């Protein structure tokens, strides 16, 4: 009897561990990222003054902006979706502001910047120091599909396709919503788009392919969703003339750095002015908060 119980227990144990392994593979397994060995060249350096210590620390006695969670109807997806909207210190609906659309990575949603950092604190500090113009910052969910949660297999083909579909949601739903609900200047020189990783690819794809909509674009450690350089910039002279800023960045230990390097080299060869900023770091928020610090000071001026 005792023997049988032991045998039963061990069968049960094997079964449970098999189920657990299946579960972890089915639910959490992600295909390996397209990381490549990092090969640095002389161009892969920091050109700008890195964010100083304390740039992201909450200060006393300064004015603060406000972050709200709002909903909009997406005709693209056919559902109500969410945005976070940062309005700057002293936001006054009788004035008009430019807008930065700031995108997240493959593992996040509209809250991801706030999950790993305090972008509002970075912006409030820059504003208090007179280093940025007052701007609205919109944080959308860049996974434009009915189930837009950042759970399950975040690399599934449907979810990756939804990041491309966000182009339609952004242009047809998000921007019209923002421009009809906030005090916004509605021209290309007053719209910027940036993001990290998957969101960096989106920013480059949407920003450079819709130069009539955006004059400033930032790809921070952009992911393999980034289109090929000659697709993004088929007419280098036109891009050089129209874009007021193309900002590219990467950490020098980021396995995705080749994406930024390729675009940088193409732009350089074709005389398209841009910033290519490589700082010591990996594929993480420390690089992207520094990018927000540098990028936000160079837009709408
Ligand atoms: C990939 C590797 C990384 C990829 C996307 C990513 C779609 C995105 C990473 C991130 O957003 O952090 O192969 O393919």
């Amino acid at each position: 009897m005792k023997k049988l119980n032991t045998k039963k227990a061990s069968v049960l144990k094997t079964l449970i561990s098999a189920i657990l392994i299946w579960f972890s593979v089915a639910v959490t397994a992600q295909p390996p990222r397209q990381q490549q060995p990092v090969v640095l060249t002389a161009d892969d350096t920091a050109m700008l003054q890195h964010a100083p210590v304390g740039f992201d620390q909450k200060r006393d006695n300064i004015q603060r902006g406000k972050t709200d969670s709002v909903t909009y109807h997406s005709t693209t997806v056919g559902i109500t979706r969410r945005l976070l909207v940062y309005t700057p210190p002293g936001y006054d609906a009788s004035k008009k502001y430019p807008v930065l659309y700031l995108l997240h990575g493959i593992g996040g949603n509209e809250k991801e910047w706030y999950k790993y950092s305090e972008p509002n604190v970075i912006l409030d500090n820059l504003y208090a120091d007179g280093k940025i113009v007052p701007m609205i910052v919109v944080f959308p969910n860049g996974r434009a599909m009915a189930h837009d949660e950042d759970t399950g297999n975040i690399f599934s083909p449907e979810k990756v396709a939804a990041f491309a579909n966000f182009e339609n949601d952004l242009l047809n739903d998000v921007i019209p919503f923002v421009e009809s609900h906030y005090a916004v200047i509605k021209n290309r020189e007053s719209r910027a788009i940036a993001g990290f990783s998957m969101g960096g690819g989106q920013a480059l794809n949407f920003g450079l392919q819709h130069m009539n909509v955006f004059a400033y674009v930032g790809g921070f450690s952009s992911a393999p969703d980034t289109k090929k350089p000659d697709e993004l910039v088929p007419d280098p002279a036109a891009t050089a003339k129209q874009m007021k800023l193309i900002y590219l960045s990467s950490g020098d230990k980021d396995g995705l750095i080749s994406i930024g390097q390729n675009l940088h080299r193409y732009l350089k060869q074709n005389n398209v002015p841009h910033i290519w900023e490589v700082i010591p770091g990996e594929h993480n928020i420390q690089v992207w908060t520094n990018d927000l610090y540098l990028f936000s000071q160079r837009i709408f001026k």
Side-chain angles (χ1 to χ4, degrees):
M1 193 64 185
K2 196 156 188 272
K3 224 175 172 173
L4 194 70
N5 271 345
T6 315
K7 202 171 166 195
K8 261 191 185 164
S10 111
V11 168
L12 203 65
K13 230 170 121 185
T14 312
L15 199 70
I16 289 172
S17 60
I19 289 170
L20 281 177
I21 289 168
W22 169 82
F23 185 78
S24 71
V25 169
V27 176
T28 64
Q30 297 164 4
R33 296 186 169 201
Q34 286 169 23
Q35 305 254 342
Q36 308 217 329
V38 172
V39 183
L40 297 176
T41 71
D43 275 7
D44 305 326
T45 56
M47 306 297 285
L48 308 173
Q49 186 89 46
H50 197 287
V53 172
F55 79 107
D56 55 355
Q57 299 301 309
K58 217 172 203 164
R59 292 190 210 157
D60 292 330
N61 309 320
I62 64 164
Q63 269 194 298
R64 299 198 186 291
K66 193 162 150 288
T67 305
D68 294 314
S69 178
V70 303
T71 58
Y72 66 100
H73 179 69
S74 165
T75 60
T76 303
V77 184
I79 58 165
T80 296
R81 308 191 72 229
R82 274 183 196 290
L83 305 168
L84 295 186
V85 179
Y86 166 91
T87 44
Y91 173 74
D92 174 353
S94 72
K95 297 193 176 138
K96 288 202 185 299
Y97 299 84
V99 184
L100 164 61
Y101 294 86
L102 195 51
L103 310 176
H104 61 83
I106 202 163
N109 58 23
E110 76 280 1
K111 297 186 192 137
E112 196 177 28
W113 274 93
Y114 283 82
K115 181 172 171 186
Y116 297 121
S117 68
E118 294 181 290
N120 54 320
V121 170
I122 296 171
L123 295 162
D124 291 346
N125 289 346
L126 282 164
Y127 186 65
D129 292 342
K131 289 186 166 163
I132 58 172
V133 303
M135 64 181 84
I136 294 172
V137 184
V138 174
F139 300 85
N141 178 328
R143 197 180 291 99
M145 64 194 292
H147 293 287
D148 61 6
E149 304 87 9
D150 54 357
T151 49
N153 180 3
I154 54 171
F155 282 88
S156 76
E158 314 84 76
K159 289 192 178 153
V160 170
F163 275 86
N165 187 37
F166 182 66
E167 178 171 0
N168 301 311
D169 195 53
L170 176 68
L171 297 176
N172 301 326
D173 301 310
V174 174
I175 294 177
F177 171 82
V178 169
E179 296 191 348
S180 60
H181 287 78
Y182 292 87
V184 168
I185 312 168
K186 303 176 193 177
N187 60 41
R188 60 183 297 279
E189 285 86 10
S190 302
R191 294 190 203 101
I193 184 163
F196 64 77
S197 200
M198 204 67 176
Q202 288 178 309
L204 296 173
N205 294 347
F206 310 158
L208 294 172
Q209 295 190 121
H210 297 283
M211 294 193 286
N212 58 326
V213 181
F214 302 100
Y216 303 87
V217 58
F220 311 160
S221 314
S222 300
D225 60 327
T226 308
K227 293 190 176 175
K228 291 198 185 71
D230 61 354
E231 277 180 74
L232 293 178
V233 182
D235 180 350
T239 300
K241 187 160 171 231
Q242 290 187 67
M243 294 308 291
K244 291 177 73 95
L245 176 65
I246 301 172
Y247 176 102
L248 310 173
S249 78
S250 180
D252 66 355
K253 289 178 275 297
D254 186 334
L256 299 180
I257 193 172
S258 62
I259 294 158
Q261 286 171 323
N262 286 342
L263 184 53
H264 155 67
R265 285 172 196 151
Y266 177 89
L267 295 175
K268 188 176 170 181
Q269 271 161 20
N270 290 283
N271 301 313
V272 181
H274 64 285
I275 290 173
W276 169 231
E277 186 72 5
V278 178
I279 66 166
E282 299 181 12
H283 192 75
N284 64 29
I285 195 72
Q286 277 75 39
V287 174
W288 308 325
T289 50
N290 182 63
D291 289 325
L292 176 60
Y293 175 89
L294 296 175
F295 182 78
S296 62
Q297 294 180 63
R298 289 168 172 79
I299 56 178
F300 311 135
K301 291 181 169 172

